[in-house]
Amino acid sequence: MTTAALSSTPAGAGTSTSTSTSTGELSVWPASTTPLPHGDLAVGGVSLREIADRFDTPAYVLDEGEVRGRCRRYRDAFPGADVLYAAKAFLSRAMVRWVEEEGLGLDVCSAGELELAVTAGFPPERIVLHGNAKSPRDIEAALRFGVGRIVIDSPSEIARIAAAVGPEGIQKVTVRVVPGVSAGGHEKIRTGTEDQKFGLSLTDGSAQDAIARILGRRQLELTGLHCHIGSQITEVQPYLVALRRMVGLMARIRDAHGIILPELDMGGGHGIAYRPGEPALDLTALARCLRAEVRESCAAAGLTVPRLVIEPGRAVAGPAGVALYRVLAVKHTGETVFVAVDGGMSDNPRPALYGVRYAPRLIGRHSTADTCTATVVGRHCEAGDVLAADVELPGDIHPGDLLAVPVAGAYQLSMASGYNMVGRPPVIAVHEGTSRVLVRRETLEDFRSRDIGG
């Protein structure tokens, strides 16, 4: 039995990256993964081949125990902090229940995510609403349900939210600040610098100006600052740099306005391993170093230590998921072997968007053939529809075979599309030897029912 990569091995700030807990081929799979006869694997005590046969492919498999375990690891690593699950990674009614039962809050980005969470029973006061361009519906839903915080991302939101609150109400808000720190696995997911759409600049005075305007609105209660420097970050140091700059701003706010803000939200973006041997963020080192840095920085500035808030999403859901595909065709083109499966960029656009690399595995049969280097591609009419390039697969792989792709729990279903009207796959939860459908497969009838023209 192996543990997927979200390392808890202690490390100092200078050695803040860690590799996955094992470089074995199952190191990035859910901890419950066990080999079965005939080349099959079980996750959550359920055979993946049986899931494919019962529920068809493509399908997402989500290990409830892995999700819950990762929530608990965050709670244990950050005692006294608020841990908010970033709903954009993956959200369903079951996920809402698991996260709530494990003691996490929720970070949502739209009225849709918010309404699903609240109608599934999540306490709205433990929800934070984000978004760089909040719609009137987003703001109305947040106020109607009574969310705990709204993160202000632009100057125009200040007056809009205050007006929506009305003359008698009060809404707690934080301000998203751009700390000028570049971090993340790809340029499209680096959000802590000036050249992207999120937040208010620390260097040009935009953040300070917005804070002054918020303090002038009695309908808005400023409770703290927020920053998010990027995604798929595997080093602790960028978080420490950002934290020091945020504490510096908190000190300037005290000096200018005479208030000490009680909360500091350091966002998420915690990196995980997608393939064996890749680095993952060391959670224990992150927690220890953030706590130490906020104490030292606040002591130097003469500030009361604020309550920390963090927002993991990918690191909770990603390693808990496995995607299942069936091979439709194998094609030898020159020296390249293309293995085409029954899914693709409609159920996982991330390789095309960010160049993410996965480690697919043949399941359901043993192969004694030598391995070959293959490129796993999808069924869509795009040359960029590649799920995994240059991966090692058995040389006798053929149509009808099953491929399983680990670390598929985050930003796959949530980013899935209706391209080519293929239909989005179902989500099958596994736990203690049982399986059940969380989200059903999208059907042709779903497409027809939405098309009301004639």
Side-chain angles (χ1 to χ4, degrees):
M1 195 174 292
T2 58
T3 303
L6 178 60
S7 174
S8 59
T9 304
T15 56
S16 54
T17 0
S18 70
T19 57
S20 59
T21 55
S22 166
T23 56
E25 59 181 326
L26 295 181
S27 63
V28 296
W29 289 69
S32 67
T33 304
T34 53
L36 296 177
H38 311 297
D40 196 10
L41 293 176
V43 174
V46 182
S47 157
L48 293 181
R49 182 176 62 182
E50 290 179 6
I51 290 176
D53 291 342
R54 178 182 174 190
F55 298 105
D56 204 0
T57 56
Y60 306 108
V61 179
L62 193 64
D63 185 342
E64 177 182 341
E66 184 76 18
V67 170
R68 289 182 179 274
R70 286 174 172 272
C71 290
R72 288 192 289 271
R73 256 175 275 175
Y74 268 98
R75 293 298 312 147
D76 292 344
F78 287 93
D82 288 335
V83 182
L84 312 179
Y85 170 67
K88 64 180 182 175
F90 168 74
L91 194 66
S92 70
R93 286 183 292 182
M95 192 71 168
V96 166
R97 179 170 59 83
W98 301 344
V99 167
E100 195 274 331
E101 289 176 354
E102 296 301 334
L104 272 61
L106 203 61
D107 152 27
V108 302
C109 297
S110 71
E113 291 177 351
L114 173 59
E115 291 187 22
L116 187 148
V118 174
T119 56
F122 202 92
E125 65 273 12
R126 289 168 52 194
I127 298 177
V128 171
L129 174 68
H130 279 282
N132 72 294
K134 301 175 188 69
S135 71
R137 183 187 170 207
D138 295 335
I139 294 172
E140 184 277 329
L143 299 178
R144 171 163 48 89
F145 287 121
V147 299
R149 307 285 186 274
I150 297 177
V151 181
I152 289 179
D153 197 280
S154 64
S156 63
E157 289 182 352
I158 299 170
R160 290 173 57 211
I161 295 171
V165 169
E168 305 301 323
I170 295 178
Q171 173 62 51
K172 292 181 178 180
V173 299
T174 61
V175 173
R176 179 161 180 172
V177 177
V178 179
V181 176
S182 179
H186 191 281
E187 63 179 8
K188 293 183 180 178
I189 51 176
R190 294 174 187 159
T191 57
T193 56
E194 307 289 334
D195 56 351
Q196 45 72 48
K197 68 178 183 176
F198 294 102
L200 294 155
S201 173
L202 183 61
T203 57
D204 71 1
S206 299
Q208 295 90 320
D209 180 65
I211 288 162
R213 291 173 59 186
I214 292 168
L215 293 174
R217 298 274 185 171
R218 61 185 180 84
Q219 300 97 331
L220 305 180
E221 178 185 348
L222 182 64
T223 64
L225 303 180
H226 174 282
C227 73
H228 181 79
I229 58 176
S231 294
Q232 191 55 13
I233 301 167
T234 58
E235 297 180 346
V236 171
Q237 190 61 30
Y239 289 103
L240 303 183
V241 175
L243 187 147
R244 284 192 285 270
R245 294 178 183 179
M246 298 294 281
V247 170
L249 177 57
M250 296 178 92
R252 291 195 291 277
I253 293 168
R254 178 207 51 201
D255 295 343
H257 304 285
I259 64 168
I260 297 177
L261 298 178
E263 298 170 2
L264 177 56
D265 190 332
M266 294 303 298
H270 306 160
I272 58 177
Y274 283 90
R275 299 186 298 169
E278 288 186 344
L281 183 65
D282 188 321
L283 179 57
T284 300
L286 175 69
R288 184 180 67 247
C289 294
L290 280 180
R291 289 197 301 267
E293 184 62 48
V294 74
R295 288 194 301 267
E296 293 170 8
S297 295
C298 287
L303 287 172
T304 303
V305 175
R307 185 177 181 87
L308 282 176
V309 184
I310 58 167
E311 301 171 346
R314 176 200 317 267
V316 170
V322 178
L324 299 180
Y325 300 100
R326 198 170 294 276
V327 176
L328 299 180
V330 177
K331 183 188 300 182
H332 296 256
T333 302
E335 296 183 356
T336 304
V337 179
F338 290 105
V339 178
V341 298
D342 54 359
M345 64 192 306
S346 64
D347 61 76
N348 185 5
R350 301 184 65 251
L353 289 173
Y354 311 132
V356 178
R357 302 195 66 186
Y358 292 90
R361 176 190 175 103
L362 175 70
I363 62 167
R365 72 173 178 90
H366 279 300
S367 173
T368 58
D370 292 337
T371 61
C372 69
T373 302
T375 294
V376 180
V377 298
R379 57 173 293 179
H380 296 286
C381 298
E382 298 284 344
D385 183 20
V386 175
L387 288 175
D390 301 326
V391 296
E392 296 299 308
L393 292 173
D396 63 350
I397 192 163
H398 58 261
D401 277 341
L402 288 172
L403 292 182
V405 183
V407 202
Y411 301 111
Q412 291 200 15
L413 182 62
S414 61
M415 297 177 74
S417 73
Y419 189 40
N420 292 154
M421 295 191 178
V422 169
R424 288 169 288 187
V427 179
I428 313 300
V430 293
H431 188 56
E432 297 180 345
T434 64
S435 61
R436 70 188 192 280
V437 177
L438 298 187
V439 181
R440 68 168 175 82
R441 186 181 302 279
E442 191 173 32
T443 66
L444 292 177
E445 178 55 34
D446 292 322
F447 288 110
R448 287 195 294 267
S449 65
R450 293 183 65 238
D451 186 345
I452 59 174

